[in-house]
Amino acid sequence: VRSRADCERLDATDPLAGFRDRFALEPGLVYLDGNSLGAMPRGVPARLAEVAEEWSRQLIGGWNRGWVDLPGRLAARLAPLLGARPGDVAVADNASVNLYKALAAALTIQGGRGPLVVEEANFPTDLYVAAAAAGRFGGRSVARVPRPELLERLTPGSVVTVSHVDYRSGHLLDLDRFTTAAHAAGALVVWDLCHSAGALPLSLDRAGADFAVGCTYKFLCAGPGAPAFLYVADRHLGRAETPLPGWFGHARTFDFAPDYEPAPDAARFQTGTPNILGLVGLEVALELWAEVDLEAVRRKSIALGDLVVERVEAVGAGLGLELASPRTAAERGSQVTLRHREAYALSQALSERGVITDCRPPDLLRIGLTPLYTRYVEVWDAVEALLEVLASGAQREERFAVRQRVP
Amino acid sequence: VRSRADCERLDATDPLAGFRDRFALEPGLVYLDGNSLGAMPRGVPARLAEVAEEWSRQLIGGWNRGWVDLPGRLAARLAPLLGARPGDVAVADNASVNLYKALAAALTIQGGRGPLVVEEANFPTDLYVAAAAAGRFGGRSVARVPRPELLERLTPGSVVTVSHVDYRSGHLLDLDRFTTAAHAAGALVVWDLCHSAGALPLSLDRAGADFAVGCTYKFLCAGPGAPAFLYVADRHLGRAETPLPGWFGHARTFDFAPDYEPAPDAARFQTGTPNILGLVGLEVALELWAEVDLEAVRRKSIALGDLVVERVEAVGAGLGLELASPRTAAERGSQVTLRHREAYALSQALSERGVITDCRPPDLLRIGLTPLYTRYVEVWDAVEALLEVLASGAQREERFAVRQRVP
């Protein structure tokens, strides 16, 4: 890809091009922050109105006309995107709460024989939850370890939790190989898939994964704070206990039984009453995802990423811009992260030019790549805008100075 | 109240009558199940459409334009309905998860010195969560105790959890007196306010309450599965640890700090990213509640309840109908529960006549009273319909036999 014209040709033959119009996006806006919050599927407002109508007209009867099993239906539709059987996936709560549940279950299975090994640069909420879970569910200690050294710290009876794609650098672990190596060391793995679900094909069952959690509001486009998921391997269901046994995780919720009996499948990881309006975005998004070929998504994601990497390599060095993501596409999730000491101001200056990226302190500029709704020409234009800003020094204007950090 | 004409007169002078039109209710429907799911405030669909528009137009910027602090703003608006300071209330997750957090915090404060005392007939999810929390947070054991014997089982260092209003009988505890007696015994109390928030005035601060949780989808009318709340007394904040430390409970969420530092107030009991669409119903409902005098709600609730009680007492005995709620209004929440061996079929037969009640197995018919949108004549008509069904034996028609239990 050497020119904007090349990008136009790629867009013209893009097998995913038709999905763009399924999302509500402002004309002219180049949105490269779908790794923080995915764009809205156009069907959302209509479905929200329908569910409000269900609430107002069916009232309590709505629970018997589709609400009660909505989390289960969505889990079954999400499962293929994770490479999982429907019964191995629950949709519930948020990713922090689900990570707590998964870590508690994994630590309990391991019987507290080894440490809980955590990637030291993992997303902060993962670090907080890991420390809390280890203190209560038998991890002898929490070991914070750099990403490349995780495997060597594993011992029989240990549990390791790691993000499949690092939120800062976009570094992608080989899920199959990491899982196999961890098992060989006697460890169980709890994957955080926040930055990979919907970004690339996943094969949790085939990889022999143990547990996984993730949010649905990034690449999956289910809306701000939409419910999260939890995967548990079928073979662990006999021993995988939830630390949060709520009535919606009971085998027979509406028996009102005084004693807890876990649902036979991953539904045991549901907790209390599911938030029905809060599930609508995921419901609409998963209808769309049912039509998507994740292999095609990954191919386009790599092409978009390589486009950024090559342009930055060609002209970025003289502008103080470095690549902070892996050079090799196979080691990169669906983002390219650049390093520049004025990253925040750059992000602000780009925003004024209609290019939405984000910054992770102190010096990272993240360019999220969402093949369902991002065009090649948009990524080309975004890189050109970045290079123009840098060449002109526009980011040094006082109004772009650090004011507020965005999520 | 001796006649339908009396009811019409009461409706004509009802200070709450104006609120009826703020809810979307089908004409002709008598909805007496607001203790399971409150009716929809009319403003909900428009606000849902607005938030969808925020998502589609502001994208990630929505977090900086009102989403990040939405749970905190709603907690502050909810606080007066609980008799609490704004900083002592969090809006997060669901009631099961919040009960786990509150029990863990209370048990940790008590240092595991005594048992966790649980009302044996509490709502099932409370029983499940109590057992799980006691196993991990230092309650030496879980004692399941009948409601009238709770206080006598308390010992120094114990924690007791109980529903303010019992979901089956509607029995209302005296929150002030129970709290004072529990403290005298050396216990901390974790209140479940699911069936009292929005049903009657609450004064948690004045009562010296410790912790409380509740859902918002019953009397508060925030929608199916809407987020729950957690109250923690100001004096406990120094020692009240959340077992689920997520990034939205951190003192400075967007610092991305590697170590957890709890928010200085009840916001520490937030966990992961809040579900924005799932908060809309609560947002709209609380705008409406800001105009409501809870003392007036309670007065009308008592009048409606007495109406049911008196009619049932006058004519119910010959029809196999018994009062299962306390006779005395001061001991009753905002429902009247009747006992009949065909309770489920009765509820079905009433539903066919446009009167929505619900059944709790095996033999309880619950009549929920929601003064904001229920008229005196409706309650009169509902009781008449019930008596007609019973007199004719219509509930014995085969199609009303037990098929499915509703939540």
Side-chain angles (χ1 to χ4, degrees):
Chain A
V1 184
R2 308 227 172 268
S3 67
R4 197 173 194 278
D6 287 346
C7 290
E8 284 170 355
R9 273 189 292 276
L10 286 168
D11 284 324
T13 57
D14 175 10
L16 299 173
F19 286 104
R20 163 73 172 223
D21 283 342
R22 308 278 291 276
F23 290 90
L25 280 165
E26 297 293 296
L29 186 78
V30 178
Y31 187 60
L32 302 177
D33 204 12
N35 52 330
S36 279
L37 176 68
M40 187 181 80
R42 279 194 196 279
V44 168
R47 183 68 191 132
L48 282 171
E50 282 173 14
V51 176
E53 185 83 359
E54 290 170 17
W55 174 12
S56 69
R57 296 175 76 102
Q58 303 179 359
L59 292 154
I60 189 66
W63 286 108
N64 281 337
R65 297 188 191 102
W67 295 347
V68 157
D69 57 357
L70 182 58
R73 289 204 312 279
L74 299 187
R77 287 185 214 160
L78 178 61
L81 303 180
L82 307 178
R85 298 178 339 118
D88 294 347
V89 179
V91 165
D93 302 317
N94 56 49
S96 299
V97 174
N98 284 351
L99 182 63
Y100 181 83
K101 290 183 275 190
L103 288 175
L107 289 164
T108 303
I109 289 172
Q110 293 289 53
R113 290 175 293 140
L116 174 57
V117 178
V118 184
E119 188 203 345
E120 67 179 10
N122 208 339
F123 193 72
T125 206
D126 296 52
L127 300 176
Y128 311 155
V129 168
R136 295 292 167 183
F137 296 91
R140 277 192 192 144
S141 59
V142 177
R144 290 192 180 177
V145 177
R147 196 167 173 88
E149 296 167 28
L150 286 166
L151 284 173
E152 55 200 75
R153 293 290 290 274
L154 303 184
T155 53
S158 61
V159 172
V160 58
T161 185
V162 61
S163 286
H164 187 199
V165 174
D166 180 77
Y167 78 106
R168 277 182 284 222
S169 69
H171 179 265
L172 170 70
L173 278 175
D174 184 321
L175 193 146
D176 291 54
R177 289 174 62 182
F178 189 96
T179 299
T180 301
H183 288 175
L188 293 179
V189 188
V190 179
W191 288 100
D192 180 335
L193 304 179
C194 284
H195 285 267
S196 50
L200 58 156
L202 292 165
S203 307
L204 294 177
D205 278 346
R206 200 198 62 209
D210 302 299
F211 292 90
V213 302
C215 69
T216 63
Y217 54 75
K218 297 178 184 290
F219 294 97
L220 289 172
C221 301
F229 63 85
L230 185 153
Y231 162 89
V232 51
D234 200 46
R235 69 181 179 285
H236 289 314
L237 278 170
R239 294 185 298 164
E241 285 177 33
T242 176
L244 278 166
W247 69 317
F248 267 78
H250 194 281
R252 291 170 304 283
T253 298
F254 296 109
D255 274 9
F256 298 95
D259 293 304
Y260 182 72
E261 181 188 330
D265 58 11
R268 73 183 62 169
F269 288 99
Q270 288 188 53
T271 55
T273 311
N275 187 323
I276 299 303
L277 285 166
L279 284 160
V280 166
L282 183 58
E283 184 179 23
V284 175
L286 288 174
E287 283 166 12
L288 192 156
W289 279 103
E291 305 170 32
V292 174
D293 173 7
L294 271 169
E295 298 288 351
V297 168
R298 178 63 174 157
R299 277 193 298 274
K300 183 175 171 188
S301 164
I302 287 174
L304 293 171
D306 283 347
L307 192 165
V308 177
V309 168
E310 285 160 22
R311 287 289 291 156
V312 166
E313 284 190 332
V315 298
L319 299 164
L321 206 57
E322 287 172 31
L323 184 65
S325 286
R327 175 70 186 80
T328 310
E331 295 173 14
R332 212 168 55 215
S334 203
Q335 73 184 60
V336 174
T337 307
L338 305 175
R339 180 173 286 114
H340 190 282
R341 62 190 170 78
E342 293 161 319
Y344 181 81
L346 282 174
S347 178
Q348 295 292 98
L350 283 171
S351 175
E352 196 177 74
R353 286 157 177 78
V355 176
I356 308 301
T357 60
D358 76 9
C359 168
R360 282 294 171 267
D363 58 358
L364 299 179
L365 181 73
R366 300 196 306 178
I367 296 174
L369 305 165
T370 46
L372 286 194
Y373 53 79
T374 298
R375 300 188 178 118
Y376 289 91
V377 290
E378 292 179 314
V379 174
W380 179 275
D381 291 347
V383 175
E384 291 308 299
L386 171 62
L387 298 176
E388 273 171 38
V389 166
L390 281 166
S392 68
Q395 79 276 12
R396 290 187 199 130
E397 293 177 40
E398 194 176 352
R399 67 208 159 99
F400 297 139
V402 173
R403 285 183 302 260
Q404 188 175 9
R405 286 169 183 165
V406 286
Chain B
V1 184
R2 308 228 172 267
S3 67
R4 195 173 195 280
D6 287 347
C7 290
E8 284 169 354
R9 275 188 291 276
L10 286 167
D11 284 324
T13 57
D14 175 11
L16 299 174
F19 287 104
R20 163 72 172 223
D21 283 342
R22 309 279 290 275
F23 291 90
L25 280 164
E26 297 294 296
L29 186 78
V30 178
Y31 187 61
L32 302 176
D33 205 11
N35 52 331
S36 279
L37 176 68
M40 187 182 80
R42 280 193 196 279
V44 168
R47 182 69 191 131
L48 282 172
E50 281 174 13
V51 176
E53 185 84 358
E54 290 169 17
W55 174 12
S56 69
R57 296 176 75 103
Q58 301 180 1
L59 293 153
I60 189 64
W63 287 108
N64 281 336
R65 297 188 190 103
W67 295 348
V68 158
D69 57 356
L70 182 59
R73 288 204 312 277
L74 299 186
R77 286 184 215 161
L78 178 60
L81 303 179
L82 308 178
R85 299 179 336 119
D88 294 348
V89 179
V91 165
D93 302 316
N94 56 51
S96 298
V97 174
N98 284 351
L99 183 62
Y100 181 83
K101 290 183 276 190
L103 288 175
L107 289 164
T108 303
I109 289 172
Q110 293 290 54
R113 291 173 294 138
L116 174 57
V117 178
V118 184
E119 188 203 344
E120 66 180 9
N122 208 339
F123 193 72
T125 206
D126 296 53
L127 300 177
Y128 312 155
V129 168
R136 295 291 168 186
F137 296 92
R140 275 191 194 146
S141 60
V142 177
R144 290 192 181 178
V145 176
R147 196 166 172 89
E149 297 167 27
L150 285 166
L151 285 173
E152 55 201 75
R153 293 291 291 273
L154 303 183
T155 53
S158 60
V159 172
V160 56
T161 184
V162 60
S163 287
H164 187 200
V165 173
D166 180 77
Y167 78 106
R168 276 181 286 221
S169 70
H171 179 265
L172 170 71
L173 279 175
D174 184 321
L175 192 146
D176 292 54
R177 290 174 61 184
F178 190 96
T179 299
T180 301
H183 288 174
L188 294 180
V189 188
V190 179
W191 288 100
D192 180 335
L193 304 179
C194 283
H195 285 267
S196 51
L200 58 155
L202 293 165
S203 308
L204 294 177
D205 278 346
R206 199 198 62 208
D210 302 300
F211 292 90
V213 303
C215 69
T216 63
Y217 54 75
K218 298 178 185 290
F219 294 97
L220 289 172
C221 301
F229 63 85
L230 186 155
Y231 163 89
V232 51
D234 199 45
R235 68 182 179 283
H236 290 314
L237 278 170
R239 293 185 300 163
E241 286 177 32
T242 176
L244 279 165
W247 71 316
F248 268 77
H250 194 281
R252 290 171 305 282
T253 298
F254 297 109
D255 274 10
F256 298 95
D259 292 304
Y260 182 71
E261 181 188 328
D265 59 10
R268 72 183 62 169
F269 287 99
Q270 289 188 52
T271 54
T273 311
N275 187 323
I276 299 303
L277 285 165
L279 283 161
V280 166
L282 182 58
E283 183 179 24
V284 174
L286 288 173
E287 283 166 13
L288 192 155
W289 280 103
E291 305 171 32
V292 175
D293 173 7
L294 271 169
E295 297 288 351
V297 168
R298 177 64 174 158
R299 279 193 297 274
K300 183 175 171 188
S301 164
I302 288 174
L304 293 171
D306 283 346
L307 192 165
V308 177
V309 167
E310 284 160 22
R311 286 290 290 156
V312 167
E313 283 189 334
V315 298
L319 299 164
L321 206 59
E322 287 171 31
L323 184 65
S325 287
R327 175 70 186 80
T328 311
E331 295 173 13
R332 211 168 55 217
S334 203
Q335 73 184 61
V336 175
T337 307
L338 305 175
R339 180 173 285 115
H340 191 282
R341 62 191 170 78
E342 293 160 319
Y344 181 81
L346 282 174
S347 178
Q348 296 292 99
L350 283 172
S351 175
E352 197 177 74
R353 286 157 178 79
V355 176
I356 308 302
T357 59
D358 77 8
C359 168
R360 282 292 172 266
D363 59 357
L364 299 179
L365 181 73
R366 300 196 305 178
I367 296 174
L369 305 165
T370 45
L372 286 195
Y373 53 78
T374 298
R375 301 188 177 119
Y376 289 90
V377 290
E378 292 179 313
V379 173
W380 179 273
D381 291 347
V383 175
E384 291 308 299
L386 172 61
L387 298 176
E388 272 171 39
V389 167
L390 280 166
S392 68
Q395 80 278 10
R396 288 184 201 133
E397 292 177 41
E398 196 175 350
R399 66 207 159 100
F400 297 139
V402 174
R403 285 182 303 260
Q404 188 175 10
R405 286 168 184 165
V406 286

